[in-house]
Amino acid sequence: MSKDKLQTIRDAAPAVLPSLLMCDFGDLKTEVQRLEAAGTRVLHLDVMDGHFVPNLTYGMPIIEGLRKHTDMPLDVHLMISDPLKYAKPMVDAGADLLTFHVEAVEDAQSVAQQIRDLGVAVGVALNPGTPMEKLDGCLDAVDMALVMSVEAGFGGQSFNPIALERLRTLRASHPDLLLEIDGGINEQTIGQAAAAGCDLFVVGSAIFGKQDYAAAIGSLDQAISAAGKAGEVSGS
Ligand code: DX5
Ligand code: ZN
């Protein structure tokens, strides 16, 4: 099941993934419907444990609840100290792609393999302050690399351009790896990330800070395709 969802994610790229962190948790069903109607094809869920990051959000019950309201792939970003402890419960709750932080584990390659063995797609995330070398050895064991453009923990922070250089490096070394960026993505920054080779763009405040989700996602999509066209022109 989840391998098909990985294909759905690949087919959706380049895509804006709304991050369910600043939405109305009192009315999640309506939020999901509004996002779907606005053209969303994949949802990004921010799970924080108050330990790996200072913030505390939600876990399996919310994912299970969301699963009942949508067929969209659920991209679960685990900002937790012990990803393996919760991987199976997350899969049982309906996660399709599980991303763990490289800073949280000793052996990222083994963690990636163990998550894969649960039958879902797997991603590895790297904070801006963590050296890229931390990813050595595990990139061939994952379906996606999540390049953080803010330190994980809170929405509404400003974009750290170190992520652009990292995306370019990863795109060159791993042409087929899905690349995702998360943090401070808005109409100004999304085009640069697209030009750097990113596939999936996680967006919180630039969608949920607006009334009209379709308009917000529409302008972000436009900025992605404008960056693509500019690349074609300069590359030709
Ligand atoms: C940050 C989270 C992000 C965040 C993005 O730790 O992983 O998904 O919600 O929010 P904005 O777009 O507001 O930076
Ligand atoms: Zn996230």
Side-chain angles (χ1 to χ4, degrees):
M1 49 113 200
S2 287
K3 285 289 161 189
D4 298 344
K5 290 284 177 70
L6 176 61
Q7 194 55 49
T8 309
I9 296 172
R10 287 192 165 279
D11 293 345
V16 170
L17 276 55
S19 138
L20 294 195
L21 186 58
M22 292 179 168
C23 63
D24 178 2
F25 284 96
D27 196 359
L28 272 179
K29 184 178 174 185
T30 305
E31 289 285 54
V32 170
Q33 288 169 345
R34 285 181 66 196
L35 290 168
E36 224 158 348
T40 300
R41 294 170 70 187
V42 184
L43 287 178
H44 180 87
L45 310 181
D46 285 310
V47 174
M48 307 189 193
D49 65 356
H51 186 257
F52 177 69
V53 290
N55 201 2
L56 183 65
T57 57
Y58 51 83
M60 286 75 77
I62 293 280
I63 292 167
E64 208 174 336
L66 286 166
R67 183 75 291 165
K68 291 184 189 144
H69 296 304
T70 181
D71 288 331
M72 278 189 277
L74 301 178
D75 163 30
V76 178
H77 179 189
L78 296 174
M79 287 162 272
I80 66 178
S81 295
D82 193 350
L84 277 183
K85 183 170 176 187
Y86 295 98
K88 178 150 190 333
M90 290 285 170
V91 173
D92 291 343
D96 297 296
L97 166 57
L98 273 187
T99 298
F100 64 94
H101 266 263
V102 72
E103 301 86 358
V105 302
E106 292 273 318
D107 182 347
Q109 191 179 356
S110 156
V111 171
Q113 194 52 55
Q114 290 180 67
I115 292 178
R116 258 205 183 144
D117 289 346
L118 296 170
V120 287
V122 59
V124 63
L126 180 81
N127 273 325
T130 306
M132 278 280 270
E133 292 70 45
K134 276 281 241 179
L135 295 179
D136 287 352
C138 81
L139 288 173
D140 292 325
V142 298
D143 302 292
M144 184 182 84
L146 166 50
V147 177
M148 294 299 298
S149 33
V150 300
E151 287 295 320
F154 298 92
Q157 305 181 70
S158 41
F159 183 77
N160 183 335
I162 193 175
L164 298 173
E165 163 194 331
R166 292 177 161 195
L167 287 168
R168 282 191 284 268
T169 303
L170 289 169
R171 181 45 74 230
S173 62
H174 291 75
D176 297 326
L177 186 66
L178 270 176
L179 297 181
E180 182 175 65
I181 190 166
D182 187 356
I185 297 295
N186 55 36
E187 282 174 46
Q188 283 70 50
T189 54
I190 199 165
Q192 301 168 53
C198 194
D199 303 299
L200 305 169
F201 308 82
V202 176
V203 182
S205 32
I207 294 175
F208 294 99
K210 310 244 165 79
Q211 286 299 319
D212 185 342
Y213 294 171
I217 294 171
S219 352
L220 292 162
D221 279 338
Q222 252 173 26
I224 295 173
S225 43
K229 291 200 182 94
E232 278 165 31
V233 172
S234 63
S236 60

